[in-house]
Amino acid sequence: MSENRLYQSIAVKILALIESGEFPAGSRLPGERDLAERFGVSRVTIREAEIALEAQGWIAIKTGSGVYVKPRPIDAHGALPDISAFDLTAARTVIEAEAAALAAGRISDAEVEELEALVAAMSDPLTSEEEAGECDRRFHLAIARICGNPVVEYCIHLLWRMRNELPRVRQVYSRVCHDDGSSRSQEHGAILAALKSRDPAAARAAMRSHFQRLFESMLEATENEALAEIRRHTEQNRERFLATTRI
């Protein structure tokens, strides 16, 4: 990778961390040395990436103090659209399935172990629902990183922002994920098995299957809510009618 493209790639990775909330507005970024070690590049490349992000309005470089994340501009491209959980899940099915296929062709043994630890934690009955949800997030973002394409990685970070920051979407996901803990851990195990086998087609299929089941669960939950609302209105009408007949 050319030096020019390398600093741009690192800028995208840092921006993805800002977007995901790891480095929130007002926080100080780790030092050049720490970031260089994290991304496996030189401090010069980190410096160039930070200069690019400062020019875009994402960070402020304060000499002698450090680098700080700026509040997101109102008109920034980071503003999230008003979408449904169904729209988001359909997009995740396409993008994350291809990320899994890419990751299967380049995953290392150490990265397999990283994913194994996350799946094990998800499956552990002692793991709280909140902790399992965090393991779920880290599992998907790790695959995004492993796939090796910074644009795909950025897109998946953005999808997770939508999942966690849009109230309507977060509510639907929280409700469905509360009821499907065992299915979730099994499906992540299937994705992991395909990645461990270095089988892109199987990894793509496993990820698609995961989201297809999630989509169906959302449909079922929505239908049940609609039926419950109909029953509630029916019962209210019945009570009003009975009250009238007693007069």
Side-chain angles (χ1 to χ4, degrees):
M1 183 181 292
S2 67
E3 287 297 321
N4 184 53
R5 185 182 172 192
L6 182 57
Y7 91 80
Q8 292 175 335
S9 171
I10 297 303
V12 168
K13 290 178 182 290
I14 295 174
L15 180 55
L17 295 175
I18 293 173
E19 291 277 15
S20 71
E22 182 168 342
F23 301 138
S27 67
R28 183 177 182 274
L29 291 183
E32 286 180 1
R33 178 178 298 174
D34 292 336
L35 289 174
E37 292 177 356
R38 177 169 184 166
F39 295 117
V41 297
S42 68
R43 295 176 66 176
V44 172
T45 299
I46 295 296
R47 194 172 306 125
E48 291 175 341
E50 290 178 339
I51 291 172
L53 290 173
E54 184 179 43
Q56 296 170 25
W58 288 101
I59 61 175
I61 301 175
K62 300 180 180 181
T63 304
S65 176
V67 180
Y68 295 85
V69 180
K70 295 175 66 175
R72 186 174 296 111
I74 295 176
D75 61 346
H77 68 272
L80 299 177
D82 183 17
I83 61 168
S84 72
F86 295 102
D87 293 328
L88 178 63
T89 305
R92 291 184 68 191
T93 302
V94 175
I95 297 172
E96 295 203 45
E98 292 309 309
L102 290 171
R106 53 182 289 123
I107 192 167
S108 68
D109 290 342
E111 288 164 339
V112 168
E113 292 177 359
E114 174 188 358
L115 296 179
E116 285 177 334
L118 291 171
V119 172
M122 270 187 267
S123 306
D124 191 333
L126 298 179
T127 300
S128 69
E129 185 176 330
E130 181 179 352
E131 291 169 336
E134 175 60 16
C135 289
D136 185 356
R137 185 186 74 88
R138 289 171 58 192
F139 180 89
H140 285 271
L141 295 184
I143 292 174
R145 183 191 74 239
I146 295 165
C147 87
N149 186 311
V151 177
V152 174
E153 181 179 2
Y154 173 78
C155 288
I156 293 174
H157 274 274
L158 187 56
L159 291 172
W160 272 87
R161 274 197 61 212
M162 295 179 197
R163 181 213 187 284
N164 291 334
E165 295 181 24
L166 295 175
R168 283 197 307 149
V169 175
R170 184 176 65 246
Q171 182 180 21
V172 173
Y173 267 85
S174 297
R175 185 167 60 250
V176 171
C177 291
H178 175 75
D179 298 329
D180 72 348
S182 59
S183 296
R184 180 170 60 179
S185 60
Q186 291 172 5
E187 290 159 6
H188 284 79
I191 295 167
L192 172 59
L195 291 170
K196 191 172 182 179
S197 298
R198 275 72 175 181
D199 187 334
R204 180 186 295 111
M207 187 67 81
R208 283 180 178 170
S209 177
H210 169 51
F211 285 118
Q212 180 63 39
R213 198 272 313 157
L214 181 60
F215 195 87
E216 294 296 334
S217 295
M218 288 179 177
L219 286 175
E220 182 178 355
T222 301
E223 290 171 354
N224 289 339
E225 285 183 358
L227 288 172
E229 185 66 14
I230 290 171
R231 292 190 186 100
R232 187 176 68 83
H233 282 297
T234 300
E235 187 60 30
Q236 287 176 344
N237 290 334
R238 179 181 292 111
E239 289 175 358
R240 282 197 293 267
F241 174 77
L242 292 175
T244 301
T245 60
R246 295 191 191 103
I247 296 175

